[in-house]
Amino acid sequence: MSESAPKIENDAPPSSGSSEASDILDLKDDEGWEDAEPDEEETQFISLLDDEVFTDIMSMLNHCKDKYNFDFLEIRKKLGLDFYGNIKLVNYVRSRVHNGQKVDTNISRKDFDDEMFLKPVLEDDALLFSLDELPEIVEIQDLDTQDKGKGIDRNPGELVARVSELEEELRRIQFQFEDYRTTVKETLDKKWDDNSTAPGPSATEKEEKRDDDSHYFSSYSYNDIHEVMLKDSVRTDAYRDFIYNNKALFAGKVVLDVGCGTGILSMFCAKAGAAKVIAVDNSAIIDKARENIFNNGFADTITCLRGKVEEVSLPVEKVDIIVSEWMGYCLLYEAMLDSVIWARDKYLKPDGLMVPSHMNMWVAPVADPDYVADHIAFWRDVYGFDMKAMQAGIHDEAQVLDMPAKTLCADPFPFLQLSLHTTTVKDLTFKRKWQAKLKQDIDALDGFIIWFDSFFMPSREDAVPEDARAEEWTKAGKKGIAFTTGPGGKCTHWKQGVMLLDNTKEKAVSRKEGAEVSGELEYTVPEENSRALTVGLTWKFDGEEKEEKQSWKMR
C-alpha cells in the first residue's frame, strides 16, 4: 500500500448517566487509549479483468465497462442473479482471467453454475465483501422505464413503501453475506471429501506432498525473506545489470518470470523494454507483487498469475526469455530448479534465452580450528560443566556459513556445471568425483564447503568453461555477468554450505602440505521431503587404504 489509511474517529456514544459508564468513557483520556483504536485500512478493489486497483467498487466496475465493454451490473440484471449468483459470477470471471482465458460478455448462468465458483479466487476479495453496496438497478430501472414520458406523479406513500422494500432486501443480503463463508466451507469441504475417495494416491501420500510444498511456498509469503534477498546487492545487481546492459535482448520480447516474489525481476524486464512479462508465484507474495507493479506503472506490461508454474495457464503459447532466481543453499536446496526446467521445456522458444544461463559448482576441504573450538569443543566446558550432550547431531546437519578464504586448505575443485538451456531434472541428483591437494600443513581436516558461481550469458550459444571462476571472469571483463557465492567474493545471502566432519569419535590426523585427497560427492533428495537435500562425501588421502565417508542433511 502506497500510503497509510486515514484514521476514522467515531463520535462517542451518549452517556448512560451511570458512574460505571462514565468511568469507562473517562478511560479515553488516559495515555495510550488511542492505541486501542485500530486504524481502518482503505479498501482496495482489484479490477475483474486486469491488475488495476481502485478505492471504490463503482469506479472499478465502470473501468471494466469502459475499457473492456464488460458491464457487470447489466449482466447480473439480465441473468436475474441472487446473492450467491453474484458470488459465482465474480469468481467465474476472476478464474478465467487468472487462467489467461477470454471473458465473453454473452455469459449464461450455466457457465458458472458449478458450486466450485463459490470459492474465492482472490484471497480477501473486496468485491465479494461489498456486493451488498451495489445499486438495486433492476426494479428501479423498471419503474423509471414504466413512468418515462407518462407524466405520472409518484405517490409519496408508494415511494416510502419502495424504500422499505429495498431496506428489507438490504438486510436480507447482509444476512446472506454473513453466512457466506460458512456456506462455502461446508459445501466445498463436503465436495472435496467426496472427491478424496476417488482412486489415486493415498490421502497420506497427498498430504505429505502437500506439506512439502505448503511449507515451502508459505515461507516466501512474508517480507523478511524478500528483504534479505533484495538487500543482497551481489544477487540483485547481477540480474539488474544483465537486463539493463542487454536491453536489445529484451525489447519487444515476451518474458516469463518463474517465482517472481516481489516482482523486482519482472519490473527490471519491463523497464528494459519487454513487450509482455508474465510473473508467476504460488505464494501470497504475488498480491504484493501485483500492487508493486501497479504502483510503478507496469500493470499494462506485467501480468501476475498465482499458482505453480506447472498448473497455471499462461496467456501465451511460447516465451522468448525465462528469468528466475531459483538458486538455493548449496544451489539445489528447495528443488525450485525442477519447476524452471519444466517451464523451459513447455514454454521457451527453441532459440529462447535462460537467465541466468550457467552454474559452476565447487567443493574444497577446510581446516578451521577456531570455529571448531568456538562451536563444537565449546560444549565440553561450559562454565566448568561438560555439556557434550549438546553436540549430538551437530555433525549431521549442513551448516550455512560465510567462511573466511583462509580456512580453505586446498584449491577448490569444480565438480559440476549446469547449463540451464540443456540441463534435465535427472542431472540434479548425481555422484561426482573430486580431488584436491593441500596447500598448507593442517592439524586436522575439519570439513568441506560447497558453493556455486552464476553466469549470465547473452546468447544460448555462449559457452562457459566448467572450471571458470566468477570472480576472475568479472575481473577479466569477459562477456556477460557473473557472481560467486564462495569465500573469494563478497558475502551473499547464500553464503556457503559447510559440512563439518565428526572428529569426536577418534583423534584427528594432522596432514602435510602437498598431501593429495580424492573421493566422490553425491547429491540426493530424501524421500520424506522433496524440497530437502542430502549431501554425501567420501574421501581418502593418497597412500592410505581406508576411505572415509559421511553425509549431511539440509532441510
Side-chain angles (χ1 to χ4, degrees), residues 128-262:
L128 296 179
F129 289 93
S130 305
L131 288 173
D132 57 318
E133 298 177 12
L134 295 178
E136 289 291 331
I137 61 172
V138 177
E139 286 104 350
I140 292 175
Q141 286 186 349
D142 286 345
L143 288 172
D144 290 343
T145 301
Q146 292 169 8
D147 295 343
K148 185 176 180 181
K150 294 183 180 179
I152 297 177
D153 294 330
R154 273 290 169 204
N155 187 319
E158 183 179 347
L159 293 177
V160 170
R162 179 62 186 145
V163 169
S164 298
E165 290 176 6
L166 293 176
E167 288 177 344
E168 179 61 30
E169 178 69 11
L170 176 60
R171 283 191 291 271
R172 182 181 68 81
I173 291 176
Q174 288 174 328
F175 176 79
Q176 289 179 320
F177 181 72
E178 290 297 326
D179 194 46
Y180 168 61
R181 283 184 169 175
T182 303
T183 303
V184 171
K185 185 177 187 304
E186 291 175 352
T187 303
L188 295 181
D189 281 354
K190 181 178 184 303
K191 186 171 184 178
W192 291 335
D193 287 343
D194 292 343
N195 289 340
S196 68
T197 61
S202 69
T204 302
E205 290 173 343
K206 290 195 288 185
E207 184 66 26
E208 288 178 355
K209 182 177 181 181
R210 188 162 55 247
D211 280 348
D212 290 351
D213 289 344
S214 176
H215 172 74
Y216 169 67
F217 289 115
S218 65
S219 70
Y220 283 91
S221 299
Y222 307 102
N223 283 10
D224 291 357
I225 191 170
H226 294 283
E227 181 178 351
V228 168
M229 292 190 293
L230 289 171
K231 287 181 175 178
D232 183 347
S233 59
V234 174
R235 160 202 182 265
T236 310
D237 287 1
Y239 281 89
R240 180 202 61 191
D241 292 348
F242 177 77
I243 294 169
Y244 287 179
N245 292 347
N246 294 278
K247 289 184 178 180
L249 293 176
F250 290 83
K253 298 297 176 63
V254 178
V255 181
L256 172 61
D257 181 358
V258 181
C260 67
T262 59

Side-chain angles (χ1 to χ4, degrees), residues 22 68 83 106 113 125 133 172 207 215-216 256 266 273-274 284 304 344 370 374 419 474 490-492 549:
S22 178
Y68 299 99
F83 176 77
N106 295 320
D113 190 51
D125 189 345
E133 298 177 12
R172 182 181 68 81
E207 184 66 26
H215 172 74
Y216 169 67
L256 172 61
S266 292
C304 294
R344 178 201 68 193
D370 292 337
D374 291 343
S419 174
T474 301
K490 182 180 177 180
C491 182
T492 70
K549 65 179 179 178

Side-chain angles (χ1 to χ4, degrees), residues 85 89 160 206 211 218 223 334 336 371 456 491 497 502 540:
L89 175 59
V160 170
K206 290 195 288 185
D211 280 348
S218 65
N223 283 10
E334 292 183 330
M336 184 180 167
Y371 182 87
F456 300 70
C491 182
D502 188 355
K540 187 178 75 165

Side-chain angles (χ1 to χ4, degrees), residues 362 453 455 467-478 482 484 488:
W362 302 87
D453 291 356
F455 296 84
D467 61 351
R469 300 183 65 171
E471 54 267 54
E472 297 173 356
W473 189 275
T474 301
K475 288 178 182 178
K478 294 186 178 181
T484 182

Side-chain angles (χ1 to χ4, degrees), residues 363-366 434 445-450 497-501 517 537-539 552:
V363 62
V366 293
W434 69 274
L445 178 62
D446 293 318
F448 302 91
I449 65 171
I450 293 173
V498 180
M499 321 296 156
L500 294 174
L501 301 187
V517 59
L537 271 161
T538 66
W539 66 97
W552 298 264

Side-chain angles (χ1 to χ4, degrees), residues 72 294 464:
F72 181 87
F294 172 79
V464 174

